[in-house]
Amino acid sequence: GAGVSQSPSNKVTEKGKDVELRCDPISGHTALYWYRQSLGQGLEFLIYFQGNSAPDKSGLPSDRFSAERTGGSVSTLTIQRTQQEDSAVYLCASSGTIDTQYFGPGTRLTVL
Amino acid sequence: LAKTTQPISMDSYEGQEVNITCSHNNIATNDYITWYQQFPSQGPRFIIQGYKTKVTNEVASLFIPADRKSSTLSLPRVSLSDTAVYYCLVGDGYSGGYQKVTFGIGRKLQVIP
């Protein structure tokens, strides 16, 4: 079936604006992850959803960041009052089996 | 969570076999070892996974010693298209259980013509 999809692929916004990033996981995958990757850096864990359990939000860098997953499928990552340091590629991954994560193409966020 | 450490970068010539080693001294009994490959401007892609001894697929081999405190990804006869960042991860192997894993900075492989 289809892989993980993310939208938009690119987002340019002005400092102080809110943005929403969307992730459509692989159908049937119960686990969903959000990561952030700055240029030339590794992946920074943000948040993890597993089935109906409470999400692990331990990686969210500030209260400006939030995420939700509706109906155990699509997820939205929201960044309020964006700052320039929020500029990065935001990656979503889903998993249905042991530790194998399938990644989407990412959303490149640029905050001017 | 078991932490992984990898050297940052390495170069290799086309056609050579490349071995990339990862240390995970605090690996837990239930942890599997998974390797991912990331090309520029793309998300990481699963390469191979193992628990112990040796695993081989069409892309690579994974060698895991008996103490499981390290693992080695082996890429046979690399080509320019293998230039990428390689990540090793360890995580809870329970299907359906808590599967949070943490990516380190990875190891950049540059294949030279």
Side-chain angles (χ1 to χ4, degrees), chain A residues 12-35:
Chain A
V12 180
T13 190
E14 294 179 346
K15 178 181 174 181
K17 301 282 190 180
D18 297 352
V19 295
E20 285 190 351
L21 311 179
R22 177 187 169 103
C23 173
D24 282 89
I26 292 172
S27 178
H29 279 191
T30 57
L32 187 147
Y33 308 74
W34 281 99
Y35 296 89

Side-chain angles (χ1 to χ4, degrees), chain A residues 25-59:
Chain A
I26 292 172
S27 178
H29 279 191
T30 57
L32 187 147
Y33 308 74
W34 281 99
Y35 296 89
R36 178 169 72 173
Q37 188 171 36
S38 300
L39 186 63
Q41 302 298 309
L43 279 76
E44 175 188 3
F45 166 79
L46 297 177
I47 189 168
Y48 164 81
F49 296 89
Q50 172 60 281
N52 295 321
S53 302
D56 177 352
K57 305 178 181 180
S58 60

Side-chain angles (χ1 to χ4, degrees), chain A residues 23-108:
Chain A
C23 173
D24 282 89
I26 292 172
S27 178
H29 279 191
T30 57
L32 187 147
Y33 308 74
W34 281 99
Y35 296 89
R36 178 169 72 173
Q37 188 171 36
S38 300
L39 186 63
Q41 302 298 309
L43 279 76
E44 175 188 3
F45 166 79
L46 297 177
I47 189 168
Y48 164 81
F49 296 89
Q50 172 60 281
N52 295 321
S53 302
D56 177 352
K57 305 178 181 180
S58 60
L60 295 178
S62 78
D63 59 7
R64 297 186 295 104
F65 288 73
S66 63
E68 60 179 24
R69 188 179 184 191
T70 55
S73 180
V74 171
S75 178
T76 302
L77 176 69
T78 301
I79 309 173
Q80 296 178 310
R81 305 179 302 282
T82 52
Q83 304 294 313
Q84 288 182 331
E85 60 263 29
D86 299 334
S87 296
V89 175
Y90 289 80
L91 290 158
C92 173
S94 70
S95 175
T97 56
I98 299 172
D99 290 345
T100 302
Q101 297 185 36
Y102 296 88
F103 282 81
T107 294
R108 182 175 298 277

